[in-house]
Amino acid sequence: MTAPIQYIAGQWLAGEGQAFHSLNPATDKVIWQGQAASEVQVDQALTAARQAFYLWSAQSLEQRLAIVERFAALLQDNTERMARAIAEETGKALWESRTEVAAMIGKIAISKRAHSERTGTVENPMPGAKAFIRHKPHGVVAVFGPYNFPGHLPNGHIVPALIAGNVVVFKPSELTPMVAELTVKLWEQAGIPAGVISLLQGEVATGKALAAHAQLDGLFFTGSSNTGHFLHQQFAGQPGKILALEMGGNNPLLVNEVANTKAAVHDIIQSAFLSSGQRCTCARKLFLPNSANGDQILAELISATQAIVVGDPLAEQQPFYGSMISAKAAAAMVKAQQQLVELGGKVLVELSADGAFVRPGIVDVTGVTGIPDEENFGPLLKVYRYDDFDAAIELANATKYGLSAGLLADSAEHYQHFFSRIRAGIVNWNKPITGASSAAPFGGIGASGNHRASAYYAADYCAYPVASVEAESVALPASLNPGLSL
Ligand SMILES: NC(=O)C1=CN([C@@H]2O[C@H](COP(=O)(O)OP(=O)(O)OC[C@H]3O[C@@H](n4cnc5c(N)ncnc54)[C@H](O)[C@@H]3O)[C@@H](O)[C@H]2O)C=CC1
Ligand SMILES: O=C(O)CCC(=O)N[C@@H](CCC(=O)O)C(=O)O
């Protein structure tokens, strides 16, 4: 198995580490295989990256943007190829995989604007000199990607990092190596210089070797809170290394009297079950009032959930969502539902798994105690009925996470009150809590992040500010300070 799947110093090489493969979760067929990058190859990638950094950062912004924009054009030309790769490797429905590629393409123009607005050059006049604020790249940064958006989310770190002048060593999820390989091949086709982007395919051992490498100036991570916290500990005592952690959530969606119950049900389903519940922004907890309106919404939600089409992600007649990333992930969702039942939850719609395919579930956990504050990363929605809005908000805030939250309510006053109290980085009103815009900051508080929001604010962690006062020549001041004679 000597497939050349590692991209180091501008060359495609076979890995020298453990063999691993990627499955199409919908068919259980092997669709990619190779050997992981060894520690020696991780070191080779870092050395090549360091050498490439000086040339890449010395290029003008226009020269760097020319390559990044060529990458966007290649993504456009290869939309169907990339979308099918995402669908085959993650089980994501093709229609949704196409939206992921569109998000990848949109990222370039947005990152260009964000770079200028967030980290552009500012000149301020001053007597006999000029004051400048400029920004410089950190150097060699690692990008770790999750499996659920194998194209879009690593892209959200890679593009702003490259625009700022950093060089990138990319470690994709071991569950989506094929998408990563196609992405880097498009970067190569765009003419990215050798060493400016490296691809290190591998499992946790490769990730650990990369994260621990002394030559790293920073690490941009999107993934689980467990892994993110591990990396945070690993980087403790290294304040000079920039660390951006985009992690999971345990997100609440509250309802408070909505006349348009059908639209409310639509937004609840879009929030809880889109992508088979495999979005960090998915709603995990639904708070419904103990009222006729709450009863009506729940009844319609149950019926609509039972009618959701789950199926072949590449079928002509597209499903709402395809499979989860693996049968293992699906089995974990069945187990999570069982745990809720054992704690006293009442199944309203039973979550069920067939291989990697999972039908969505809804469990009423009103009054149930002892539910772990954990992210169940799949199509399982817990329902809490409430009498008091403030108490519901308090319960919604009772989590170590703080990524997304939302309120469906006709009253603007209710939303103002909710907004003032809810703790999350994305807070929506009468809109799903999934599908955040790349033109806004994207990040959470608590266990969801480390205050380095991504998306529009990714530019902030891709460069550091440099303040300068500059004069064309040295000159004596009009008067000397006391005690000085020259
Ligand atoms: N906040 C956000 O923007 C997002 C967060 N997520 C979260 O990501 C998770 C799903 O993605 P996964 O791929 O399962 O995350 P994961 O944490 O298992 O893996 C993420 C990346 O870290 C690497 N990794 C895992 N353990 C490591 C270690 N000990 N040292 C170094 N590298 C390591 C993996 O190989 C992969 O490249 C969910 O929890 C979801 O909420 C997913 C998408 C977006
Ligand atoms: O990162 C961006 O450009 C915007 C944020 C984004 O795309 N969020 C998506 C993906 C959520 C996830 O990470 O799973 C969303 O809000 O659904």
Side-chain angles (χ1 to χ4, degrees):
M1 192 176 321
T2 57
I5 47 95
Q6 309 292 347
Y7 187 62
I8 298 171
Q11 300 296 316
W12 289 96
L13 313 164
E16 294 163 359
Q18 284 293 319
F20 72 112
H21 62 265
S22 170
L23 292 174
N24 175 332
T27 64
D28 212 23
K29 296 275 185 297
V30 175
I31 55 174
W32 181 97
Q33 55 192 344
Q35 287 171 257
S38 64
E39 273 201 50
V40 168
Q41 289 179 307
V42 169
D43 193 55
Q44 287 166 350
L46 270 293
T47 302
R50 180 61 59 191
Q51 284 159 5
F53 170 61
Y54 301 115
L55 284 174
W56 181 247
S57 55
Q59 301 242 341
S60 70
L61 173 62
E62 291 65 30
Q63 287 169 313
R64 296 198 295 267
L65 282 172
I67 288 175
V68 173
E69 284 161 353
R70 254 204 306 280
F71 171 71
L74 287 164
L75 271 176
Q76 188 66 56
D77 297 346
N78 288 275
T79 292
E80 205 53 20
R81 187 175 163 215
M82 179 64 82
R84 293 190 75 87
I86 292 169
E88 284 171 12
E89 198 159 43
T90 63
K92 190 179 286 187
L94 185 58
W95 71 265
E96 188 183 352
S97 300
R98 289 182 180 126
T99 67
E100 179 171 350
V101 181
M104 291 176 78
I105 296 165
K107 182 64 71 175
I108 280 84
I110 288 171
S111 299
K112 180 180 173 185
R113 194 167 75 242
H115 172 82
S116 165
E117 279 180 25
R118 307 289 297 177
T119 55
T121 297
V122 175
E123 179 183 341
N124 291 311
M126 61 186 291
K130 287 179 182 173
F132 289 96
I133 300 168
R134 301 183 180 94
H135 296 79
K136 297 182 81 172
H138 295 288
V140 179
V141 296
V143 168
F144 283 68
Y147 68 74
N148 67 327
F149 278 82
H152 168 46
L153 289 169
N155 194 54
H157 294 306
I158 293 169
V159 167
L162 293 176
I163 289 175
N166 301 283
V167 296
V168 171
V169 181
F170 175 29
K171 158 68 180 79
S173 169
E174 54 275 31
L175 302 175
T176 51
M178 184 174 79
V179 170
E181 185 177 324
L182 177 53
T183 303
V184 173
K185 282 191 168 155
L186 294 181
W187 277 111
E188 181 189 28
Q189 216 179 317
I192 197 114
V196 174
I197 189 167
S198 308
L199 174 62
L200 292 177
Q201 301 272 26
E203 298 174 303
V204 173
T206 303
K208 285 186 170 181
L210 176 56
H213 202 285
Q215 275 291 326
L216 274 188
D217 296 307
L219 189 153
F220 304 155
F221 169 85
T222 299
S224 67
S225 206
N226 284 344
T227 304
H229 280 70
F230 177 86
L231 292 170
H232 194 264
Q233 283 162 353
Q234 192 173 348
F235 277 63
Q238 303 182 73
K241 295 193 176 190
I242 180 87
L243 182 65
L245 301 172
E246 314 305 332
M247 300 181 283
N250 191 5
N251 310 309
L253 178 62
L254 283 75
V255 177
N256 189 331
E257 301 309 310
V258 181
N260 188 339
T261 53
K262 183 178 280 191
V265 167
H266 169 270
D267 287 358
I268 294 167
I269 286 177
Q270 283 290 116
S271 299
F273 301 137
L274 189 62
S275 316
S276 187
Q278 296 173 116
R279 291 191 182 217
C280 59
T281 46
C282 275
R284 307 299 180 194
K285 299 175 279 191
L286 176 66
F287 294 83
L288 278 174
N290 261 323
S291 65
N293 185 236
D295 294 346
Q296 179 63 28
I297 288 171
L298 183 56
E300 290 182 26
L301 174 64
I302 288 170
S303 155
T305 300
Q306 289 166 335
I308 286 175
V309 177
V310 178
D312 176 359
L314 295 171
E316 192 64 31
Q317 191 66 38
Q318 281 279 281
F320 176 62
Y321 64 69
S323 77
M324 290 189 73
I325 189 67
S326 65
K328 182 182 169 198
M333 295 315 297
V334 173
K335 190 168 172 229
Q337 176 179 248
Q338 185 50 37
Q339 187 183 38
L340 294 176
V341 170
E342 286 162 6
L343 286 168
K346 178 169 169 273
V347 173
L348 303 178
V349 178
E350 185 179 4
L351 177 146
S352 60
D354 175 6
F357 290 92
V358 178
R359 287 212 56 81
I362 303 174
V363 181
D364 187 323
V365 292
T366 309
V368 175
T369 57
I371 298 174
D373 179 21
E374 283 169 2
E375 173 188 59
N376 295 135
F377 203 58
L380 178 62
L381 182 64
K382 297 185 283 287
V383 170
Y384 298 79
R385 304 303 300 267
Y386 72 86
D387 296 309
D388 179 85
F389 190 41
D390 278 349
I393 296 173
E394 197 176 327
L395 198 49
N397 275 332
T399 171
K400 63 179 180 281
Y401 296 96
L403 185 58
S404 68
L407 174 68
L408 304 179
D410 292 340
S411 155
E413 197 181 331
H414 280 144
Y415 177 60
Q416 257 74 47
H417 184 68
F418 170 78
F419 186 86
S420 70
R421 295 199 174 189
I422 199 71
R423 287 179 51 75
I426 294 116
V427 179
N428 289 351
W429 179 32
N430 292 334
K431 284 292 176 190
I433 61 174
T434 51
S437 162
S438 298
F442 184 74
I445 55 171
S448 295
N450 66 328
H451 300 287
R452 298 206 186 282
S454 189
Y456 202 72
Y457 284 9
D460 298 23
Y461 57 69
C462 289
Y464 64 89
V466 180
S468 304
V469 175
E470 298 173 359
E472 304 248 318
S473 59
V474 291
L476 277 173
S479 61
L480 298 181
N481 287 333
L484 204 55
S485 52
L486 287 173

